Amino acid sequence: MEYLEKIIKETESFFYVDDAKAARLSQELSEHMKNKLYFNPTPLKVNEGVQIHEDFSTKNLRQSFFYNCIFDGANYSDGGLAGSLFTNSQFYECNFINTNFQSCDFRDCTFDSIKEGLKYTRFSKSIFTNTIFSECIFKGALMNDTIFTHCSFLNCKWMPVSLENAIFKDTLLQSVKFKSMNFEFATFDNIKLDEVKLPFPTIPYIFNGLNYLTHTSDNIRITSAKKKDGITVDEYMENIDKLEEFYKYTHNYFPLTNILICKNMYDEAFSSVINGINLSIELRRFRMLKNYCKQLKYIDNITIHERQCLYKYILEKISKINFQDFEYSNLNHYLPEVRQLLLDDLKEQKIEVSLSTNINSIDTQKMSVLLNTIDSLLEGKCNYSIELRHNSPWDIFITIFSDPNNISLIMNTFSLVFSAIQTKLAISQAMKTKEIEDIDYEKIVSHKDKLKNSGIVILNLTINNNGNIEINNK
């Protein structure tokens, strides 16, 4: 840490450019651009408490910051606001046609009565929190990989909207009209629908969609050519067996898996996932691999051992096929996410532990003792992975997934075993007072003695659990 801060201080003058020179550079570079705002000398400018109504069409204003602002009649058509942050801001009658809002962050915002200005607007990979859309019309908008949390869509129209991998969490859709819509590969997480008609064919393609449908008391219907006003949930569920047989015949394993999960047929659902993965590899539909792996979250009693077996199974299948170069590139784009979905239990809380040691490249015996100690501390408490960073001496990086009740125990155990600050006196005192429950203090002392007798020194211990706890043993 001190070393890196020293580098920053020593090179500080290199990064300094005075205001006058920056303004001159901006002017000279802008002579080559039609978009005169492209070389903006203040790209990280914070706009606070202002009303915006100007014409910024075609302008690139990415990574802007807006706090307590009002956008009323502003024109950002064909413009760029990617990577921007909007907090407690209101949008009225603006022109956002083909505007790039990708990877933006909207917090406590309101979009009100935008009827024409949300055509082909790009919101992909953005995050919306506590945001309200009222009386808005979305046409051809892109919302792929978007997360909506505690949001509301009121009296809106979607005609259509692309929602692949979008997540709707604790979100309300009230009197929302869909035209030519599908929700393929979107996720419903505690969603609430009111006076909404879901498209008939898309429901089995929604993560947790059928589960929502079978448990909800919301006022919804499902589209049907048989009835203008749609059919009821019960009438839709009468078709579930037909859908199951149809997807079996067509080898469409993704919707089939969701149907089997809805029926609590978990063994068959797991088999359906495996079949879907096999077919996806055979057809080079590598994007589908992550979708099948995500379905495991909703299959009860899938163990970490089964997840590990499935990951090895995928790698083995891939190793037996000769792909073209561009196919390998496509495959490698999705494999890291597949690995994360299968080997990291994302339902649990995550902590990261970093150990800097005195173990050099040839001390295999010391490394064995340390790894056995770590395994003994974590056995039966969590799912974890260990990464060895060979900098000679070695650094150990441990990623741990466990339920919140175990996290505190694991953190305390690591602190007691690997921190030189915890003396025998401190441990003995803790044993007497039992200030930390469920810890075997005699075992802690045994581990510390084993490390000491083996000549293993932990130079630095860092525990990251939504905030760093760093213990420097030097």
Side-chain angles (χ1 to χ4, degrees):
M1 185 71 72
E2 293 176 0
Y3 170 70
L4 298 181
E5 290 177 349
K6 180 174 179 288
I7 291 175
I8 293 174
K9 189 171 184 62
E10 290 176 347
T11 58
E12 188 175 15
S13 61
F14 172 79
F15 294 97
Y16 176 74
V17 179
D18 62 53
D19 293 345
K21 184 177 181 180
R24 186 178 73 254
L25 291 171
S26 175
Q27 182 178 0
E28 292 173 356
L29 291 170
S30 295
E31 292 175 0
H32 300 277
M33 303 295 297
K34 290 183 178 180
N35 178 5
K36 299 304 180 185
L37 292 177
Y38 188 91
F39 290 103
N40 179 7
T42 56
L44 302 179
K45 178 183 176 182
V46 175
N47 302 275
E48 185 168 6
V50 298
Q51 183 164 334
I52 300 170
H53 52 78
E54 292 85 2
D55 184 355
F56 295 104
S57 60
T58 73
K59 300 296 187 284
N60 190 339
L61 299 169
R62 64 188 184 278
Q63 297 183 34
S64 297
F65 298 82
F66 301 91
Y67 295 87
N68 304 314
C69 293
I70 297 176
F71 296 79
D72 193 354
N75 181 8
Y76 286 91
S77 62
D78 296 303
L81 285 161
S84 296
L85 172 64
F86 302 86
T87 301
N88 196 33
S89 295
Q90 285 77 46
F91 302 82
Y92 305 100
E93 291 298 332
C94 296
N95 184 348
F96 295 128
I97 296 175
N98 200 37
T99 303
N100 185 359
F101 280 111
Q102 293 185 114
S103 302
C104 286
D105 190 341
F106 296 87
R107 307 176 188 180
D108 303 295
C109 294
T110 301
F111 290 77
D112 193 4
S113 301
I114 304 179
K115 306 290 187 181
E116 298 294 330
L118 290 170
K119 293 180 180 178
Y120 317 114
T121 312
R122 289 167 282 167
F123 289 108
S124 296
K125 299 184 183 296
S126 289
I127 298 173
F128 294 85
T129 307
N130 296 318
T131 294
I132 299 173
F133 296 88
S134 179
E135 303 283 348
C136 294
I137 299 176
F138 299 85
K139 184 175 182 180
L142 295 178
M143 292 183 176
N144 299 329
D145 302 292
T146 301
I147 300 174
F148 300 95
T149 305
H150 296 292
C151 294
S152 297
F153 292 86
L154 311 174
N155 300 303
C156 295
K157 291 183 181 179
W158 295 0
M159 38 191 300
V161 175
S162 181
L163 292 168
E164 185 166 328
N165 297 320
I167 296 175
F168 296 89
K169 184 174 182 179
D170 303 315
T171 289
L172 168 67
L173 275 66
Q174 185 177 70
S175 300
V176 178
K177 309 297 182 185
F178 304 131
K179 183 178 180 181
S180 302
M181 270 293 304
N182 73 68
F183 286 83
E184 286 189 1
F185 312 119
T187 300
F188 284 1
D189 186 354
N190 196 32
I191 194 172
K192 180 172 178 58
L193 306 180
D194 184 32
E195 296 184 6
V196 169
K197 279 195 293 186
L198 285 173
F200 184 99
T202 195
I203 295 170
Y205 287 86
I206 302 171
F207 288 103
N208 209 37
L210 283 168
N211 184 57
Y212 160 78
L213 209 64
T214 54
H215 293 91
T216 187
S217 58
D218 293 349
N219 180 19
I220 64 170
R221 295 181 75 84
I222 292 88
T223 60
S224 172
K226 287 186 173 183
K227 294 183 180 181
K228 182 179 179 181
D229 293 332
I231 58 177
T232 66
V233 171
D234 289 339
E235 288 173 319
Y236 177 83
M237 295 306 293
E238 291 174 2
N239 294 277
I240 204 72
D241 290 338
K242 299 174 187 176
L243 288 166
E244 178 187 329
E245 294 301 314
F246 177 78
Y247 291 134
K248 285 180 186 176
Y249 179 77
T250 57
H251 306 292
N252 200 341
Y253 294 107
F254 184 84
L256 175 60
T257 300
N258 284 334
I259 290 171
L260 296 172
I261 293 171
C262 174
K263 290 185 168 186
N264 299 326
M265 299 172 64
Y266 297 124
D267 289 342
E268 292 82 357
F270 189 31
S271 179
S272 181
V273 165
I274 299 170
N275 281 312
I277 286 173
N278 285 334
L279 187 59
S280 296
I281 294 173
E282 182 181 339
L283 299 178
R284 278 58 166 174
R285 297 181 67 202
F286 303 128
R287 179 176 62 93
M288 284 301 299
L289 294 178
K290 66 173 185 177
N291 290 324
Y292 284 113
C293 292
K294 284 171 67 174
Q295 286 182 308
L296 297 183
K297 174 182 177 181
Y298 304 99
I299 301 177
D300 279 1
N301 301 320
I302 293 291
T303 65
I304 185 60
H305 175 69
E306 288 171 320
R307 288 171 176 269
Q308 291 169 343
C309 286
L310 184 56
Y311 182 64
K312 292 177 182 177
Y313 180 83
I314 292 172
L315 296 182
E316 185 177 344
K317 283 285 182 181
I318 291 169
S319 68
K320 294 179 179 178
I321 301 175
N322 290 321
F323 298 112
Q324 298 185 48
D325 288 345
F326 73 90
E327 290 174 330
Y328 279 115
S329 297
N330 189 22
L331 173 63
N332 290 331
H333 177 74
Y334 293 106
L335 271 183
E337 190 170 359
V338 168
R339 181 186 183 281
Q340 182 186 43
L341 287 166
L342 291 179
L343 302 186
D344 297 345
D345 192 345
L346 301 181
K347 293 183 293 185
E348 306 287 7
Q349 191 171 341
K350 173 182 175 181
I351 62 173
E352 297 170 338
V353 178
S354 178
L355 301 173
S356 297
T357 75
N358 70 330
I359 304 175
N360 63 41
S361 58
I362 61 173
D363 282 337
T364 55
Q365 182 63 34
K366 288 183 179 180
M367 180 58 70
S368 176
V369 171
L370 180 56
L371 292 178
N372 285 334
T373 300
I374 293 171
D375 184 64
S376 177
L377 294 174
L378 296 177
E379 185 180 11
K381 298 183 180 69
C382 59
N383 171 31
Y384 66 95
S385 63
I386 298 177
E387 175 185 340
L388 303 181
R389 295 175 174 174
H390 183 201
N391 296 319
S392 193
W394 290 86
D395 281 350
I396 315 295
F397 187 78
I398 312 165
T399 305
I400 300 169
F401 298 88
S402 188
D403 65 76
N405 294 328
N406 273 339
I407 290 295
S408 178
L409 175 63
I410 292 169
M411 291 173 63
N412 288 323
T413 301
F414 267 75
S415 296
L416 288 170
V417 172
F418 296 117
S419 172
I421 298 170
Q422 299 289 348
T423 64
K424 281 191 175 182
L425 179 62
I427 296 174
S428 299
Q429 184 65 29
M431 290 175 64
K432 292 177 182 178
T433 60
K434 291 292 182 182
E435 61 184 30
I436 305 172
E437 298 294 333
D438 301 322
I439 287 183
D440 186 341
Y441 288 97
E442 292 183 2
K443 193 173 182 181
I444 296 295
V445 173
S446 174
H447 285 311
K448 290 182 75 70
D449 288 342
K450 183 182 292 185
L451 294 175
K452 181 179 179 181
N453 294 335
S454 300
I456 297 171
V457 177
I458 304 301
L459 304 175
N460 198 73
L461 164 65
T462 302
I463 302 175
N464 181 16
N465 178 36
N466 298 321
N468 286 330
I469 301 172
E470 184 168 342
I471 301 173
N472 192 327
N473 286 335
K474 293 178 183 179

